[in-house]
Amino acid sequence: MCADIVGIGAGPVGLWVASQTKKQKPGLDIQLYERHQQYERSHVLRLEYLSMLLYSIVGNDPSEKRFFEDITGMDIKELILRAALMGYTNPRTNELEEALKTHAADLGIKTTYEKISGIDEAEERHPECSRFVGADGAHSRIREELLGEDCLIEQSLQHVVELKYQAEGDAGRLSLGRAFHTNCKLDSMAFEYVGREKCGTTPVTVRFFVDQDTYNVLPEASFREPLRLHDPRIPESLAKDIDAYLEVRKARAHETYAEGSGKMSKLTLSVYAARKFAAMHGDKAWFLAGDAALGVPYFRSLNAGMIVGSQLAQALASDTLNNEGRVAIYNLVRPLDISWEFVTAYGKNAGLGIYDVVRKVGSLIPTDAFKPR
């Protein structure tokens, strides 16, 4: 099985890089490896329209039309207009992955569902290939093998408890005023992300920004091993905030919670980047993409991955560069990408701090003061 480019990881960014590279140069044979055949995740994403257009190749073939319509509900002309207005959509993770997988297959990209344990196995499997892409996630083994244990620049920003659940029917969103009024009554800030209704349910994600002590008291909880909604180990103040927020959504967003669907995880929001985005391994060129290259919070990680992935596709498909040149060019744009994404993350983090101060001041004002006289 010969390939010009081999990718390890066929999540959203891995598929995006492969698709964009194939559009840049249709004659390339691209082979992807993905360890999970069935996508398990179904949480809400924030996908900015500009992320799908910046540095990318956009054509007019039927497969691409279907992809954009499936994800955004609009055609390419309207998408470009909305991108100029900083528009975005909230697809579920598995919806985006399925749409990208179909689009990649239509382009002739091959995906094999098999675990590749590392760099050596990938190169032994494809001795003919000289360009490899590691898109194997935030805990990338490819990155560590390529760059060593001290391979990241990282800084923590916030501690978060994330509640994900399904609402029956088409759930609405709280107005900005109602969300602020609710936050004034909570110990921890809460922000909601509501997806699109599909098959009779709507995915909802609520993030509670908690202090260090609350975060430490809460037992370990991850996507694969989450806490249930009313777990007795949840600190009392956080449990009250969750119940209060869900009551407001029930009353004001006309939401019916799907019993048993709530799952909670804890995570530290941080900014990080690999010390290099690409390196030579012998005579083979290896490139990092998506969360293997850099990660930023506040729903920017996917968007950054797609933008940087489109840049990588240009280098991978270039006829004027050899592998050393491709590595050099990709590393050359790295500081610019990191600066933009890190500054954006720090700015949003500062905005959260201001919001937190304002809501705490608002909590001291009697509720009647907000009522019209």
Side-chain angles (χ1 to χ4, degrees):
M1 187 163 46
C2 295
D4 297 306
I5 297 173
V6 171
I8 311 302
V13 175
L15 288 164
W16 180 259
V17 172
S19 298
Q20 285 299 312
T21 304
K22 187 76 171 177
K23 290 177 184 179
Q24 293 271 357
K25 193 172 181 181
L28 290 172
D29 286 324
I30 301 177
Q31 170 69 53
L32 302 180
Y33 288 94
E34 169 58 44
R35 66 193 302 181
H36 301 296
Q37 186 157 7
Q38 296 296 325
Y39 296 120
E40 301 171 345
R41 295 169 292 177
S42 184
H43 57 270
V44 180
L45 301 166
R46 179 187 169 108
L47 177 57
E48 297 174 7
Y49 300 139
L50 185 62
S51 302
M52 295 185 285
L53 300 176
L54 197 60
Y55 302 107
S56 67
I57 294 293
V58 177
N60 202 31
D61 62 272
S63 174
E64 188 168 69
K65 286 182 179 179
R66 285 194 300 272
F67 168 71
F68 284 127
E69 288 174 359
D70 286 346
I71 296 304
T72 69
M74 63 185 78
D75 61 27
I76 187 62
K77 292 181 180 178
E78 187 178 0
L79 179 65
I80 293 172
L81 176 62
R82 295 290 183 89
L85 300 174
M86 302 303 291
Y88 66 90
T89 186
N90 293 114
R92 306 178 196 221
T93 307
N94 55 350
E95 290 175 352
L96 177 60
E97 289 176 328
E98 286 297 330
L100 280 166
K101 183 167 66 173
T102 299
H103 185 40
D106 289 343
L107 291 171
I109 296 165
K110 299 180 286 293
T111 301
T112 300
Y113 292 97
E114 181 180 346
K115 179 181 177 181
I116 299 295
S117 61
I119 289 176
D120 289 340
E121 182 178 351
E123 292 182 355
E124 289 171 4
R125 184 75 62 90
H126 290 277
E128 80 291 346
C129 183
S130 65
R131 283 166 283 175
F132 294 81
V133 177
D136 53 337
H139 305 289
S140 170
R141 180 167 182 175
I142 299 297
R143 179 182 63 217
E144 185 173 337
E145 288 187 9
L146 190 66
L147 304 178
E149 292 184 2
D150 184 25
C151 57
L152 284 180
I153 303 167
E154 184 173 13
Q155 181 179 350
S156 299
L157 299 179
Q158 296 280 356
H159 298 293
V160 169
V161 175
E162 194 169 70
L163 169 63
K164 299 176 182 178
Y165 63 92
Q166 300 291 323
E168 296 180 3
D170 188 6
R173 294 176 172 84
L174 297 182
S175 67
L176 291 177
R178 177 54 57 183
F180 175 73
H181 188 263
T182 303
N183 265 298
C184 288
K185 299 179 179 181
L186 304 179
D187 287 338
S188 303
M189 289 186 294
F191 296 93
E192 65 181 35
Y193 308 89
V194 182
R196 294 185 298 175
E197 183 272 335
K198 185 176 182 180
C199 300
T201 62
T202 301
V204 180
T205 297
V206 184
R207 283 183 164 182
F208 294 88
F209 288 74
V210 301
D211 57 41
Q212 180 79 58
D213 290 339
T214 301
Y215 185 85
N216 290 340
V217 169
L218 196 71
E220 290 302 318
S222 64
F223 164 71
R224 287 189 170 80
E225 296 183 2
L227 293 176
R228 289 297 173 178
L229 186 57
H230 295 107
D231 192 297
R233 296 172 293 175
I234 298 173
E236 183 179 1
S237 62
L238 177 59
K240 287 181 178 179
D241 282 355
I242 293 171
D243 288 341
Y245 200 91
L246 292 182
E247 281 298 316
V248 172
R249 282 198 53 79
K250 179 180 179 181
R252 300 291 181 169
H254 310 292
E255 176 179 275
T256 301
Y257 169 77
E259 289 298 328
S261 65
K263 298 179 181 180
M264 297 177 60
S265 57
K266 56 185 277 191
L267 62 150
T268 300
L269 299 185
S270 61
V271 291
Y272 71 85
R275 295 190 180 276
K276 292 182 179 180
F277 278 7
M280 296 298 297
H281 185 255
D283 61 346
K284 313 288 188 182
W286 277 86
F287 305 85
L288 301 175
D291 288 345
L294 82 163
V296 281
Y298 310 123
F299 289 87
R300 276 300 303 170
S301 189
L302 170 64
N303 293 284
M306 296 184 82
I307 291 171
V308 178
S310 295
Q311 294 174 340
L312 173 57
Q314 293 182 357
L316 289 171
S318 173
D319 287 324
T320 60
L321 297 171
N322 58 19
N323 280 339
E324 289 81 1
R326 294 183 178 101
V327 167
I329 286 293
Y330 194 39
N331 281 326
L332 188 64
V333 300
R334 171 185 166 277
L336 301 176
D337 292 325
I338 291 175
S339 297
W340 173 257
E341 294 299 342
F342 277 30
V343 167
T344 301
Y346 292 138
K348 290 184 176 181
N349 200 60
L352 277 179
I354 295 171
Y355 183 90
D356 195 25
V357 171
V358 173
R359 77 176 184 94
K360 287 176 179 176
V361 172
S363 69
L364 302 176
I365 302 174
T367 303
D368 288 345
F370 294 104
K371 293 182 179 180
R373 296 185 183 278

